[in-house]
Amino acid sequence: MSTNRVEIIRATTIANNDMNKQLSALYEVNWELLRKTANKYEAQGYELATPYLLATTNAYASAKIRVMCLGKETMGWGGEFTDQPTIKELQQLYALYIHQEGGNDAAFHRFVGWLSSLSPDVEVIPNNIIKIGKKSTNGYYKVVADELHSVTHILKEEISILKPSVIICPTSNLYDYNQPLTELLGEYT
């Protein structure tokens, strides 16, 4: 990634609202756990993406209808940094990538865009079941995901902070994704 792109990310402003303050505090408390878990597997040769850390917009914070669109995994998220990014930088990257650029052309991001266009009363925030995926490709390492289930409490706390009216999970019926969701949220439809 070019230095210019990293500078753009670092210059991106995230909304100064209570939700973002709570998210930052959540990530701060769990940062060492996330990095320790990732470092353990990186030392074994796995190439992991950086943790997927959310940032809201003021529009989401004040929306009548809040939708969390919960994807499967990070699709190489965070490969933009060659050094170890900070929590703030990852939230800035999220704000730039999701809120300003609209994500990529993957079906998930097209679906999020479509949901966002349904009504001015609807605000959508994308998230992922697996908070750390593969660095340069789709999917996640099964052996790593088993331990990363130990950090799914972060997703539960994100849901508590963001208070979505509805959570939509456009995922497949693969057991690997449904197991952490069911453990986290209970049975769902």
Side-chain angles (χ1 to χ4, degrees):
M1 156 151 274
S2 72
T3 302
N4 193 23
R5 173 79 170 149
V6 172
E7 290 170 6
I8 291 169
I9 292 166
R10 290 180 174 151
T12 299
T13 303
I14 59 174
N16 185 23
N17 60 48
D18 286 339
M19 286 182 176
N20 280 340
K21 290 174 186 172
Q22 291 177 53
L23 287 170
S24 294
L26 168 66
Y27 301 142
E28 186 68 38
V29 167
N30 288 284
W31 186 246
E32 190 57 35
L33 174 63
L34 286 165
R35 289 307 317 145
K36 183 177 153 186
T37 302
N39 287 340
K40 172 183 174 181
Y41 287 101
E42 287 171 345
Q44 295 176 26
Y46 294 98
E47 293 186 1
L48 301 177
T50 55
Y52 192 73
L53 306 184
L54 311 182
T56 65
T57 61
N58 287 330
Y60 179 88
S62 62
K64 289 182 184 178
I65 301 169
R66 298 178 186 148
V67 177
M68 179 177 287
C69 196
L70 196 54
K72 298 178 286 189
E73 42 77 16
T74 64
M75 293 185 65
W77 170 259
E80 285 82 354
F81 289 94
T82 55
D83 57 346
Q84 290 293 326
T86 65
I87 293 167
K88 180 181 178 185
E89 288 170 338
L90 289 175
Q91 287 185 289
Q92 288 168 305
L93 173 60
Y94 180 92
L96 176 68
Y97 182 70
I98 298 298
H99 302 307
Q100 293 179 25
E101 296 177 353
N104 59 29
D105 195 40
F108 176 77
H109 291 286
R110 290 193 310 272
F111 181 69
V112 167
W114 175 78
L115 281 174
S116 298
S117 72
L118 291 178
S119 166
D121 294 334
V122 175
E123 287 293 327
V124 181
I125 191 159
N127 200 353
N128 285 301
I129 298 166
I130 303 295
K131 299 303 284 180
I132 304 174
K134 291 182 180 179
K135 185 172 186 170
S136 60
T137 186
N138 296 351
Y140 64 93
Y141 299 105
K142 175 71 172 126
V143 65
V144 178
D146 288 341
E147 184 156 333
L148 290 176
H149 287 179
S150 69
V151 298
T152 56
H153 69 279
I154 295 170
L155 174 59
K156 189 171 190 172
E157 291 180 48
E158 287 171 335
I159 292 168
S160 176
I161 291 167
L162 298 170
K163 299 174 181 34
S165 308
V166 66
I167 299 171
I168 299 174
C169 305
T171 61
S172 65
N173 290 326
L174 295 177
Y175 175 77
D176 294 335
Y177 295 116
N178 285 326
Q179 180 184 4
L181 259 184
T182 302
E183 289 171 5
L184 183 69
L185 303 174
E187 291 298 321
Y188 60 93
T189 57

